[in-house]
């Protein structure tokens, strides 16, 4: 029987740490030990949720939840940062949705699905971005505040959160990119199953912005990610409509 465990990365047992390290090496084969050491520390304030069975880590997801003032509402609301999601190659089930549902119930509310929430993530997969847009109907790069809390701009909001973590940001007209610290990863064999979106316009956006890089007949996860900022308000009809913002 599987179980969920939430810990700070620095609180992992030696066995758990070894297994999570192996998952990082599976997903990011070009990174150095310093990169993995940072992800196995608690420096950025993230929690790690482990999905385990019989002592084996089936999956690991990083989350950070704060209650902050945002560009979308004058009062403080939950802001969830979605970090890396890692999956054991022998596990066929879903990780992100199972751990995300458990984490939201534990840290926001059992009724989190009817709470106003802001979601943030750095995404390099068009397919993952497609899923994000379904969870957060209002999202950057197609996002606009529908409430009264406009004292903070989207750009300032993202800079305040990611700048403090030392992430180098590059702002476009309607989007924000994060310049990351790992070498491009060849994902040619993983493109169809794990990266490609059903929406070709999303694939085109990621390629045009070199988040996904084409070189000859190879496909690379480049050292760039799209920073996505989504606002979810189940009580507002307008929150289900796509409205634009100049970031």
């Amino acid at each position: 029987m599987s179980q969920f465990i939430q810990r700070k990365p620095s609180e992992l047992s030696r066995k758990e740490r070894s297994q999570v390290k192996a998952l990082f090496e599976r997903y990011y084969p070009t990174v150095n030990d310093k990169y993995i050491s940072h992800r196995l520390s608690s420096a950025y304030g993230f929690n790690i949720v482990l999905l385990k069975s019989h002592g084996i880590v089936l999956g690991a997801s990083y989350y950070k939840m704060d209650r902050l003032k945002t560009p979308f509402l004058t009062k403080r609301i939950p802001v969830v940062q979605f970090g890396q999601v890692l999956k054991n190659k022998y596990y066929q089930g879903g990780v992100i949705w199972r751990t995300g549902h458990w984490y939201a119930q534990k840290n926001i509310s059992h009724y989190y699905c009817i709470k106003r929430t802001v979601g943030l993530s750095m995404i390099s997969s068009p397919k993952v971005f497609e899923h994000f847009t379904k969870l957060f109907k209002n999202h950057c790069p197609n996002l606009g505040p529908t409430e009264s809390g406009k004292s903070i701009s989207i750009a300032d909001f993202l800079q305040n959160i990611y700048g403090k973590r030392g992430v180098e940001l590059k702002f476009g007209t309607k989007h924000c990119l994060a310049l990351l610290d790992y070498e491009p990863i060849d994902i040619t064999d993983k493109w169809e199953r794990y990266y490609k979106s059903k929406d070709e316009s999303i694939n085109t956006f990621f390629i045009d912005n070199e988040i996904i890089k084409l070189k000859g007949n190879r496909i690379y996860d480049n050292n760039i990610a799209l920073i996505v900022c989504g606002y979810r308000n189940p009580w507002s009809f307008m929150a289900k409509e796509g409205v634009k913002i100049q970031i």
Side-chain angles (χ1 to χ4, degrees):
M1 183 176 178
S2 59
Q3 64 177 149
F4 297 97
I5 299 172
Q6 177 177 315
R7 293 197 176 113
K8 295 293 184 183
S10 59
E11 296 172 345
L12 296 174
S13 70
R14 182 178 298 179
K15 183 177 179 180
E16 289 168 345
R17 186 180 180 88
S18 176
Q19 291 185 63
V20 173
K21 182 176 184 292
L23 293 181
F24 268 108
E25 291 170 344
R26 177 196 175 207
Y27 277 80
Y28 303 95
T30 65
V31 301
N32 55 35
D33 289 339
K34 182 180 178 181
Y35 179 93
I36 295 177
S37 294
H38 282 170
R39 271 64 189 174
L40 290 174
S41 75
S42 299
Y44 302 114
F46 276 78
N47 290 303
I48 183 168
V49 176
L50 302 179
L51 174 60
K52 297 181 65 176
S53 179
H54 304 289
I56 303 299
V57 176
L58 305 177
S61 298
Y62 280 72
Y63 302 99
K64 186 175 187 293
M65 200 283 287
D66 299 289
R67 293 185 182 275
L68 304 172
K69 288 187 177 181
T70 72
F72 315 108
L73 204 64
T74 52
K75 66 178 184 180
R76 296 177 184 272
I77 58 175
V79 175
V80 179
Q81 294 183 54
F82 298 82
Q84 278 121 333
V85 179
L86 310 167
K87 181 177 176 179
N88 190 307
K89 66 179 180 180
Y90 298 109
Y91 180 60
Q92 299 300 314
V95 170
I96 187 170
W97 298 115
R98 291 189 67 188
T99 57
H101 173 71
W102 183 88
Y103 179 84
Q105 283 194 323
K106 178 178 175 62
N107 295 275
I108 299 177
S109 165
H110 277 277
Y111 306 103
Y112 73 89
C113 58
I114 60 173
K115 299 285 187 180
R116 293 181 176 91
T117 310
V118 169
L120 297 171
S121 189
M122 297 191 293
I123 295 178
S124 58
S125 165
K127 177 179 281 191
V128 173
F129 177 62
E130 180 185 356
H131 291 324
F132 184 91
T133 64
K134 294 176 181 177
L135 183 61
F136 294 95
K137 299 294 184 180
N138 273 0
H139 54 270
C140 177
N142 182 30
L143 170 70
T146 58
E147 303 289 346
S148 58
K150 300 183 178 64
S151 59
I152 309 171
S153 72
I154 295 287
D156 288 342
F157 183 62
L158 297 181
Q159 182 67 58
N160 185 50
I161 289 177
Y162 288 98
K164 286 182 178 179
R165 288 171 49 188
V167 177
E168 186 178 353
L169 303 180
K170 178 182 178 183
F171 288 95
T173 304
K174 300 173 186 174
H175 60 270
C176 175
L177 301 178
L179 307 182
L180 305 177
D181 55 353
Y182 60 83
E183 295 298 318
I185 300 169
D186 191 327
I187 58 166
T188 308
D189 296 336
K190 299 178 181 179
W191 170 252
E192 292 290 335
R193 183 174 181 181
Y194 298 110
Y195 280 81
K196 186 178 181 181
S197 169
K198 294 179 181 178
D199 186 336
E200 282 301 327
S201 66
I202 294 178
N203 294 324
T204 299
F205 176 87
F206 274 68
I207 292 170
D208 287 348
N209 286 279
E210 297 189 329
I211 302 167
I212 298 297
K213 188 173 182 178
L214 307 181
K215 188 174 181 181
N217 62 347
R218 311 304 294 176
I219 306 172
Y220 294 87
D221 177 347
N222 209 358
N223 57 345
I224 299 173
L226 174 68
I227 290 187
V228 292
C229 176
Y231 174 55
R232 178 182 174 88
N233 181 4
W235 301 106
S236 172
F237 174 76
M238 286 297 294
K240 298 177 182 179
E241 298 183 356
V243 288
K244 297 180 180 179
I245 186 169
Q246 297 296 317
I247 199 167

